[in-house]
Amino acid sequence: DDIRSKSVTGRETVDGQEAYVVSYTTERESASGESLSFDTTYYISVSSGRIIQVEQEGQDTTSEFTYRYEEVGPIELPDEC
């Protein structure tokens, strides 16, 4: 993918968290050789630096992904470890 532009467009509250809004425009070539353009917006937590949400718009599609990070308990390893 080729990044054509990127910018920090401000801050928003996402899923109860303050987030930086970072936008990218990328281009890639399809299997048939057609140039495709995608606008992707990342919402990055101000406090943790983790991605909270991603929105992507393409030629004919729109996708949105929300990430939720939770504390997990210890992982039990097999006895042979």
Side-chain angles (χ1 to χ4, degrees):
D1 296 353
D2 292 325
I3 297 175
R4 296 293 177 205
S5 67
K6 61 182 171 180
S7 63
V8 177
T9 58
R11 288 184 179 198
E12 288 186 27
T13 301
V14 177
D15 206 25
Q17 298 181 61
E18 187 73 13
Y20 296 111
V21 182
V22 182
S23 299
Y24 288 87
T25 298
T26 56
E27 288 186 11
R28 67 178 77 143
E29 190 174 298
S30 71
S32 64
E34 177 184 10
S35 180
L36 303 174
S37 178
F38 295 90
D39 294 318
T40 306
T41 303
Y42 292 90
Y43 297 86
I44 302 171
S45 171
V46 171
S47 62
S48 72
R50 292 180 171 173
I51 295 171
I52 301 170
Q53 185 169 300
V54 177
E55 296 173 354
Q56 186 175 57
E57 292 184 32
Q59 307 297 94
D60 299 320
T61 63
T62 299
S63 301
E64 181 178 307
F65 305 94
T66 301
Y67 299 88
R68 289 188 176 83
Y69 300 93
E70 299 176 13
E71 290 293 323
V72 296
I75 298 172
E76 292 186 32
L77 297 172
D79 291 335
E80 57 270 2
C81 288

